[in-house]
Amino acid sequence: MSYNEVKTTIDMGEGRQIEISTGKLAKQADGSVVVKQGKTMLLATVVSAQEAKPGTDFLPLSVDYQEKYAAAGRIPGGFLRREARLSDYEILISRLVDRALRPLFPEDYHADTQVMISLISADKDIMPDALAGLAASAAIAVSDIPFNGPISEVRVAKVDGKLVINPLLSELERATLEFIVAGSANDIVMVEGEAKEISETEMVEAIEFAHHAIKMQVQAQVELAQLVGKPAKREYSHEPTNPELRDRIFAATYDQVYAVAKSSLPKHTRSEQFKQIGAAFVEANFGEEEMDDDTAFLIKKYFHDVQYEAVRNLILNEGIRLDGRDARTVRPIWSEVDYLPAAHGSAVFTRGETQSLTSVTLGAKDDEQMIDGAFIHGYNKFILHYNFPAFSTGEVRPNRGPGRREVGHGNLAMRSLKQVLPVGDENPYTIRVVSDILESNGSSSMATVCAGTLALMDAGIKLKAPVSGIAMGLITDEKTGKYAILSDILGDEDHLGDMDFKVTGTERGIVACQMDLKIHGLKWEVLTQALDQAREARLHILEEMKKTLAEPRADYKPHAPRIVSFTIDKEYIGAVIGPGGKIIQEMQRETGATIAIEEVDNKGVVQVFAENKASIDDAVRRIKAIAAKPEIGEIYEGKVKSIMPFGAFIEIIPGKDGLLHISEIDWKRFETMDGIFNVGDMVTVKLLDIDKQGKLKLSRKVLIPKPEKSEA
């Protein structure tokens, strides 16, 4: 054996165990582990360059989670039949891991670092996303890469009223809350998930419960690192330093920056004045010959530190924010619905300098989104797309399609609105919501939630309750213990703050959240206070939204398509579709309606979708005629299909023929069928009986008055 495998095990209770091993696979990576629970296995690797690229002042970290289709015994779809670009689902898991790892790397570590997590074996009921953060952190733990971890991620859910860590996929259908929580042994660093209108207290309890499980998983990683002979972390020097230059920049610019921060200027004006202060310092103190790359790098870094300190101190010491608000005030809001007359529903929502134009499109079953992943595959009938063009922030940038940020923000808004959508027969439509961000200065994802709610209600979708969202921030001073919780944060406050906490909900409770923390030692009472303050802001925004539209419209727009849903017996599904789809295609072509039919719970569920009532009525009549059951005693207008010496076969409903015997045609006696009917004639008949073989016995004469016998 040419490898030395080392393992450790985490006991999750109730017979569930997670195994972490290293030393067997991918040994040329800086760190690699395999995490296994049941049949689910993840391979995580990490590689970090030995040196940082010149001029880099951030951590170039990339995290990629990918599912191998072979892990689930499936072959990928598409022409190439191989794994391609990451799906939205894989991107979302990559983001969850990235957001948990990134704050734990040293601030001055700037080497290119790549974490790759592959699903190499899939248990159909054990969800791999809850193990991805554990796998990534464990790979770093057994490497020499500097890291202030370990961390781990778990899924916490409340199933049947009980909190559960990493529940089975089958159990999630009954969950009233579901969060992915990441943290170290001491701190929570990331939370994301959804819930069914829960209280703030219930959410804090779930996060605390998750943290207990995280501590167990962190300890297991420490033990694994010790078993492999805990590697010494590499030495690095990725940033030049010049304390004397830092002091000069602070002395020359701090007061000016503080004054601009306090002046409540608009975003772009404020940014321009900050730039002018920095440029003036350089012009006054450095000639061209003195400005080398290291000096330029340090001036940019230290001047950013000045802005960071000035803005934070202004908030902590004077309670004044960049736009002049206090900590709790939400920026002015205006909204409008039915802005796009041709859309099925639309809304504009503007809060301060953030604006979303959102549209709703109603579609049929054929419009459902196909999900073709290795672990999760099926169909999705609620789609939300979030677009963030460069002009929304006054920038010039090529349009290359949605990036990871757009996918993540759109998913948060989708989760929020999904909780209040009508279900089952109450919502027959496939719904697509598109949010185009036209202006952005803080929390465009929350503007998407608000605009999405208004647009859905404008479309006539019967939401259970309207949803609003708010982004909260936190500024802290560890030395003095001062802190400020900020409602409705600006973009700069997000960048310069210690927490970005987005919460969405109805009047009754929380439906989704997304939290990222950049500090250590957040007290639970501060988190509770932030949630309470977020509720106050959410309810304020809801009241502003209600001024525009308080409840869903009574009906869909006149130009919106209509859907009629009904069921037929399973045995008639084939008859409605016809050989090779001939019957259903003919009905769609002749009526102009779109028809979808599928078997659900031993019933044929039919959806007829069209833009006018006449098309729907025509299609429904035809389908019901095909699927109708002949009933004894009923009278039918039938068509003569064939003529025999002993009678005629009459089609009383499509696909159902009955025998009209020669003796049942009239009260008078016929010796032959010659000249009585022609094929294609319409004849009114009554169904007398259905025998054990299903043959139909018809009569025409019972519908004709019986002639009286003459006295003669």
Side-chain angles (χ1 to χ4, degrees), residues 25-331:
L25 302 183
K27 296 194 296 293
Q28 293 190 43
D30 289 332
S32 73
V33 299
V34 172
V35 170
K36 181 179 181 182
Q37 182 182 355
K39 294 181 181 178
T40 290
M41 296 174 68
L42 295 175
L43 169 65
T45 61
V46 59
V47 177
S48 189
Q50 292 294 329
E51 300 294 335
K53 292 177 181 176
T56 304
D57 61 351
F58 64 97
L59 174 65
L61 171 67
S62 62
V63 178
D64 291 314
Y65 168 85
Q66 187 172 39
E67 296 179 341
K68 304 297 183 181
Y69 277 71
R74 301 186 63 231
I75 295 174
F79 180 76
L80 295 176
R81 297 289 174 183
R82 68 174 296 166
E83 290 82 2
R85 65 176 292 275
L86 298 186
S87 67
D88 283 1
Y89 173 71
E90 291 166 318
I91 287 172
L92 291 169
I93 298 174
S94 302
R95 274 175 52 86
L96 288 174
V97 178
D98 185 302
R99 288 160 47 205
L101 296 179
R102 192 175 291 272
L104 274 296
F105 283 94
E107 289 186 8
D108 59 350
Y109 189 74
H110 302 323
D112 280 302
T113 304
Q114 184 176 41
V115 175
M116 298 186 71
I117 310 150
S118 300
L119 175 68
I120 55 175
S121 178
D123 188 312
K124 292 180 179 179
D125 219 14
I126 297 176
M127 301 183 71
D129 56 352
L131 302 172
L134 167 63
S137 177
I140 299 172
V142 299
S143 77
D144 67 341
I145 299 168
F147 187 62
N148 299 321
I151 62 95
S152 191
E153 289 180 346
V154 299
R155 171 178 275 105
V156 57
K158 182 170 276 190
V159 181
D160 301 331
K162 180 183 177 183
L163 288 172
V164 183
I165 297 297
N166 293 355
L168 300 176
L169 179 61
S170 56
E171 294 175 319
L172 274 185
E173 296 176 0
R174 309 194 305 275
T176 54
L177 66 83
E178 177 206 341
F179 298 123
I180 293 283
V181 182
S184 65
N186 299 315
D187 301 300
I188 296 297
V189 296
M190 192 277 298
V191 179
E192 176 150 345
E194 59 191 75
K196 299 190 182 301
E197 298 178 295
I198 63 170
S199 68
E200 285 72 15
T201 302
E202 199 173 353
M203 180 173 169
V204 173
E205 287 173 353
I207 296 173
E208 285 188 283
F209 187 79
H211 198 205
H212 291 304
I214 288 169
K215 291 176 182 178
M216 292 169 49
Q217 297 186 4
V218 166
Q219 182 58 35
Q221 294 174 62
V222 172
E223 292 170 4
L224 183 69
Q226 291 170 343
L227 288 171
V228 298
K230 190 174 182 180
K233 297 303 181 183
R234 67 180 65 167
E235 294 183 3
Y236 65 94
S237 178
H238 294 167
E239 282 187 2
T241 57
N242 188 333
E244 187 267 335
L245 175 60
R246 187 180 192 279
D247 292 343
R248 284 173 61 195
I249 291 175
F250 264 78
T253 65
Y254 180 85
D255 290 343
Q256 298 175 65
V257 169
Y258 192 94
V260 171
K262 192 175 178 178
S263 61
S264 305
L265 294 170
K267 173 184 172 182
H268 291 294
T269 306
R270 180 175 65 248
S271 178
E272 187 59 36
Q273 292 202 11
F274 283 155
K275 287 179 183 176
Q276 290 173 8
I277 294 170
F281 172 81
V282 171
E283 187 176 344
N285 292 275
F286 295 91
E288 287 186 17
E289 66 283 354
E290 299 175 275
M291 188 61 70
D292 56 27
D293 289 343
D294 281 354
T295 302
F297 173 87
L298 287 173
I299 289 172
K300 178 182 176 184
K301 171 181 167 52
Y302 293 149
F303 187 63
H304 175 271
D305 292 346
V306 171
Q307 296 173 64
Y308 180 85
E309 294 290 340
V311 171
R312 292 167 65 89
N313 288 338
L314 176 66
I315 294 170
L316 288 171
N317 297 334
E318 301 190 49
I320 299 173
R321 298 164 65 176
L322 286 170
D323 58 0
R325 285 180 292 151
D326 62 22
R328 305 180 85 94
T329 301
V330 176
R331 287 171 291 174

Side-chain angles (χ1 to χ4, degrees), residues 354-421:
T354 297
Q355 183 178 74
S356 168
L357 171 62
T358 294
S359 62
V360 170
T361 307
L362 306 179
K365 183 169 181 57
D366 289 352
D367 296 310
E368 288 181 357
Q369 179 186 31
M370 184 173 72
I371 308 297
D372 183 32
F375 184 74
I376 293 179
H377 50 96
Y379 290 88
N380 175 29
K381 64 183 294 185
F382 179 55
I383 307 159
L384 191 147
H385 290 143
Y386 166 101
N387 300 314
F388 193 86
F391 66 75
S392 65
T393 54
E395 298 174 275
V396 177
R397 187 173 65 246
N399 184 7
R400 295 288 183 262
R404 292 191 172 194
R405 176 184 177 278
E406 285 88 338
V407 172
H409 284 202
N411 179 256
L412 176 59
M414 183 277 292
R415 285 178 162 214
S416 303
L417 295 171
K418 181 183 71 173
Q419 300 299 323
V420 296
L421 285 176

Side-chain angles (χ1 to χ4, degrees), residues 695-707:
K695 295 179 180 179
L696 311 182
K697 180 182 179 182
L698 307 176
S699 174
R700 176 174 173 267
K701 76 177 184 181
V702 296
L703 302 176
I704 302 172
K706 186 176 181 180

